[in-house]
Amino acid sequence: MALTIVESCVNCWACLDVCPSDAIVSAEPHFLIESKNCTECEGDYADPQCASICPIEGAILNAFGDPINPKGSLTGIKPELKDDALKEIQAR
Amino acid sequence: MELNVLNADQAAASAEGCSASACGSSNDQMSHLPDSIREKVQNHPCYSEEAHHYFARMHVAVAPACNIQCHYCNRKYDCANESRPGVVSELLTPDQAVKKTKAVAANIPQMTVLGIAGPGDPLANPERTFETFRRLSAEAPDIKLCVSTNGLTLPMHVEELAKHNIDHVTITINCIDPEVGAKIYPWIYWNNRRVRGRAAAKILIQQQQKGLEMLVAKGILVKVNSVLIPGVNDEHLKVVSKIVKEKGAFLHNVMPLIAEEEHGTFYGVMGQRGPSDEELQDLQDACSGDMNMMRHCRQCRADAVGMLGEDRGSEFTLDKIETMDIDYDAAMKTRAIVHKGIEEELAEKQLKRERLAGVKVPSGPVAANKSFRPVLMAVATSGGGVINQHFGHATEFLVYEASGNGVRFIGHRKVDQYCIGNDTCGEKESALAGSIRALSGCEAVLCSKIGYEPWGLLEDAGIAPNGEYAMEPIEEAVMSVYQEMITAGKLDAESELKKAEV
Ligand code: SF4
Ligand code: SF4
Ligand code: SF4
């Protein structure tokens, strides 16, 4: 089982530094996870480290191909609450 | 009553535009600091308005990762706490950064400060940041180092920071209340977990405050940056300013939020507005009562090389550096001679300033026994401390306040040029309206020349255009215009009333 990084990655290096398994390589056009090395952080940490620091929604997928940080999860605003948030912020 | 032109020399210095290393503080703002601190900042291009015309600094981008998210940042670009939004710096390895720094220092002996500010958070990249610092402390001991951080991991790095030739640390502190923080920081990476919302803000705030205290206890200079976000932390920043000062930060720099949709930041996309020039100025005024404020900072590019607005970065690209053979020991000798020369010149200027401080400008007859309200005026200058720019060519105006206490520099107002050349003048009207908006709150604008059309529009907007002081020193000119306003009765109570009725 392994995670994957997809093209929305912005090559910020954050995941590479925190991976306990040296599974992440800096590459162009975007960083990559070497699946043979990725342990999903099993035994090291409760959460996969790369996905806990990655700033980009949707950039890291789980073994089933689903984004670990789906849309709205990192801004703190769920898509269905976006209209209310827009109103509040634009009133400032 | 006599009007005092405060430190004419210093005012001239502050008027010079320096976009690459353009942050500093005027000397009167420094005067209350203890000698030990003043000495440290004397040669610092960011803090001493005087020195920043002689000494230069540079940044190297060795720190890509970040451990928090700020709502005004898009991680495709450099850390928005230290750089203008949308800027991308070329990432360097520590080895490349050391080579580049030495190459620049050898070629530009005025370069005295090396900073690491991004493109992420330097202390979220401790290995890359500290390897760069370690090597530079050993190989180029005549260069001072500085670093900026969001503060999250600051306490655990204070020991290491104290080992190097660290001149100062900048912490970006936007709040001390987690409720406020939750609106600015959606998450942090802490103890191997992503922590969100109020809990995240609380940890970040605690770490920042603790880091600030620890640095001060170690005798390391701390500057605090804050981003002014209307409706989020505007009132709150007054408290922040007070607290960071009490804890020993030597400067507090309030920067305006810049949020544009095209930058792809959360605030940009959600339509959070930035502060108006007046809101920024009001807040800076409110904070300056109890704090040394920086008004000159123009949010420099993180990797800018050079001084006085020149960006000499293209002289020092990676391939060019690789081919340079730098004998740093020899360079250090040259540098020492250049530095000594500059210090002597600065000392001379200091003496001259002390002589000038006694000079008074005689006040007009009408001014006697009366005090008048302060007036804001904008000045178009391309540097040199004199009024020497055409209104239509000004990309920014310097705003001064004239009052019975003399003339003081307030800040910069950026404008879009309305007249760049023949073919671009189609957009003239709307851009001109933009310039006039940028001058709101000012009652006069002093420039070398001004066209017929803007003249009329400015008058309509209640801003008196003035081209009579071309090539004259700014402060004297501003004071003269103030005197003229007083003499003409414009600041009398009756005329104020009339103005209010209109
Ligand atoms: S899940 Fe853990 S082991 Fe796998 S790449 Fe991410 S950080 Fe490395
Ligand atoms: S943390 Fe996310 S954006 Fe950054 S390099 Fe890793 S996958 Fe890419
Ligand atoms: S600390 Fe800097 S790099 Fe990190 S999110 Fe904030 S502005 Fe961006």
Side-chain angles (χ1 to χ4, degrees):
Chain A
M1 300 294 263
L3 274 50
T4 35
I5 295 176
V6 296
E7 64 284 349
S8 51
C9 159
V10 297
N11 298 5
C12 78
W13 288 78
C15 56
L16 189 142
D17 288 351
V18 297
C19 172
S21 320
D22 279 334
I24 300 175
V25 284
S26 91
E28 292 289 337
H30 59 80
F31 280 41
L32 294 169
I33 294 175
E34 288 183 336
S35 48
K36 62 176 193 316
N37 291 346
C38 172
T39 58
E40 296 198 2
C41 291
E42 206 76 41
D44 286 306
Y45 299 105
D47 303 326
Q49 291 303 290
C50 53
S52 300
I53 198 168
C54 177
I56 306 295
E57 291 171 350
I60 300 184
L61 308 182
N62 65 19
F64 308 104
D66 298 325
I68 301 182
N69 299 304
K71 241 193 160 12
S73 66
L74 297 188
T75 58
I77 294 182
K78 297 193 183 82
E80 61 270 24
L81 296 177
K82 196 172 163 196
D83 284 345
D84 291 344
L86 271 174
K87 265 188 223 125
E88 194 216 311
I89 290 172
Q90 287 175 5
R92 282 173 189 164
Chain B
M1 184 183 74
E2 282 191 322
L3 297 166
N4 219 337
V5 170
L6 303 165
N7 297 342
D9 247 30
Q10 157 222 327
S14 68
E16 277 179 28
C18 323
S19 55
S21 57
C23 30
S25 172
S26 53
N27 291 308
D28 60 336
Q29 288 174 306
M30 288 287 161
S31 56
H32 81 280
L33 292 170
D35 284 350
S36 61
I37 292 185
R38 206 157 29 157
E39 213 163 275
K40 277 190 175 175
V41 292
Q42 202 144 42
N43 291 349
H44 200 293
C46 285
Y47 303 141
S48 152
E49 190 52 43
E50 187 87 50
H52 115 240
H53 298 271
Y54 295 89
F55 294 108
R57 59 129 193 216
M58 65 180 282
H59 276 134
V60 286
V62 296
C66 187
N67 46 14
I68 70 171
Q69 180 69 55
C70 306
H71 269 329
Y72 45 76
C73 178
N74 176 348
R75 296 297 296 113
K76 266 188 211 157
Y77 307 117
D78 287 4
C79 174
N81 284 338
E82 277 299 308
S83 176
R84 291 197 198 100
V87 173
V88 187
S89 306
E90 185 182 25
L91 192 65
L92 305 178
T93 64
D95 186 55
Q96 290 168 327
V98 170
K99 275 196 182 129
K100 178 170 178 176
T101 307
K102 286 160 81 178
V104 173
N107 283 285
I108 307 178
Q110 295 90 335
M111 199 283 279
T112 52
V113 181
L114 182 275
I116 298 182
D121 182 69
L123 299 183
N125 303 258
E127 278 160 35
R128 289 180 278 262
T129 296
F130 287 122
E131 190 190 332
T132 309
F133 281 169
R134 259 192 299 277
R135 282 194 48 194
L136 284 174
S137 297
E139 295 169 36
D142 64 338
I143 296 176
K144 292 177 195 168
L145 307 171
C146 68
V147 64
S148 58
T149 177
N150 60 39
L152 182 63
T153 61
L154 180 55
M156 68 184 84
H157 294 302
V158 168
E159 270 311 310
E160 177 75 26
L161 282 167
K163 285 186 201 148
H164 304 292
N165 204 358
I166 301 284
D167 173 80
H168 71 283
V169 175
T170 306
I171 318 174
T172 301
I173 298 180
N174 294 321
C175 55
I176 44 155
D177 175 355
E179 290 301 334
V180 177
K183 293 186 185 148
I184 304 172
Y185 309 104
W187 59 264
I188 64 170
Y189 173 79
W190 182 246
N191 284 342
N192 302 99
R193 284 223 148 98
R194 201 190 302 265
V195 182
R196 297 163 201 269
R198 202 180 172 279
K202 191 172 171 199
I203 297 167
L204 178 63
I205 290 165
Q206 278 169 352
Q207 292 290 104
Q208 289 171 337
Q209 295 298 320
K210 190 170 162 204
L212 166 60
E213 288 159 21
M214 289 171 71
L215 287 170
V216 171
K218 282 254 177 230
I220 299 173
L221 287 183
V222 185
K223 173 185 126 193
V224 171
N225 272 354
S226 301
V227 181
L228 169 55
I229 310 161
V232 176
N233 70 350
D234 34 9
E235 280 303 305
H236 186 58
L237 282 184
K238 295 176 189 166
V239 189
V240 172
S241 196
K242 194 163 170 284
I243 286 181
V244 299
K245 183 209 175 183
E246 276 165 14
K247 292 199 174 166
F250 85 103
L251 262 181
H252 184 207
N253 175 29
V254 177
M255 311 185 292
L257 169 72
I258 304 174
E260 302 288 346
E261 195 175 353
E262 64 265 29
H263 296 142
T265 61
F266 175 82
Y267 280 156
V269 171
M270 297 295 278
Q272 162 74 47
R273 68 177 181 96
S276 68
D277 290 329
E278 281 143 329
E279 284 172 316
L280 178 65
Q281 192 180 311
D282 285 351
L283 191 89
Q284 288 178 333
D285 282 343
C287 296
S288 67
D290 50 271
M291 184 77 200
N292 228 359
M293 292 289 299
M294 283 174 84
R295 292 173 187 268
H296 295 270
C297 183
R298 271 173 271 177
Q299 293 168 319
C300 320
R301 265 183 68 170
D303 64 345
V305 173
M307 56 195 298
L308 299 184
E310 303 165 58
D311 190 337
R312 294 181 60 180
S314 59
E315 287 174 42
F316 303 101
T317 54
L318 279 185
D319 34 323
K320 285 188 191 157
I321 290 161
E322 292 297 339
T323 62
M324 288 182 195
D325 195 10
I326 306 290
D327 176 352
Y328 201 79
D329 285 336
M332 254 200 301
K333 292 199 183 95
T334 322
R335 286 169 54 79
I337 295 166
V338 173
H339 295 171
K340 190 158 172 278
I342 295 173
E343 272 151 32
E344 282 167 10
E345 200 177 326
L346 282 173
E348 233 167 74
K349 283 213 153 192
Q350 177 67 30
L351 283 175
K352 189 171 155 217
R353 200 172 34 242
E354 275 157 22
R355 280 201 309 276
L356 271 175
V359 179
K360 312 257 177 174
V361 173
S363 56
V366 196
N369 314 322
K370 258 188 167 178
S371 70
F372 296 92
R373 66 177 173 84
V375 169
L376 292 184
M377 297 183 209
V379 170
T381 173
S382 53
V386 293
I387 296 161
N388 58 0
Q389 203 171 32
H390 189 297
F391 179 80
H393 296 162
T395 52
E396 66 173 9
F397 291 93
L398 306 185
V399 176
Y400 286 81
E401 181 196 77
S403 72
N405 299 323
V407 176
R408 70 182 181 121
F409 176 67
I410 297 288
H412 305 268
R413 299 269 178 96
K414 281 229 172 303
V415 283
D416 303 318
Q417 273 168 285
Y418 78 88
C419 183
I420 310 165
N422 295 334
D423 38 324
T424 52
C425 280
E427 297 286 301
K428 207 167 174 173
E429 243 133 15
S430 59
L432 177 53
S435 305
I436 291 175
R437 248 197 323 280
L439 295 179
S440 66
C442 298
E443 293 175 52
V445 54
L446 283 62
C447 50
S448 65
K449 268 192 178 145
I450 180 162
Y452 179 73
E453 188 191 359
W455 184 287
L457 288 172
L458 280 165
E459 282 194 327
D460 292 347
I463 305 166
N466 190 322
E468 284 163 37
Y469 292 91
M471 296 316 293
E472 302 214 4
I474 292 171
E475 298 235 326
E476 275 93 333
V478 168
M479 189 40 79
S480 301
V481 174
Y482 188 60
Q483 296 272 356
E484 284 162 19
M485 290 175 85
I486 290 172
T487 315
K490 284 190 183 138
L491 305 183
D492 289 346
E494 309 86 71
S495 103
E496 295 280 296
L497 269 178
K498 230 181 275 162
K499 205 172 147 195
E501 279 163 24
V502 174

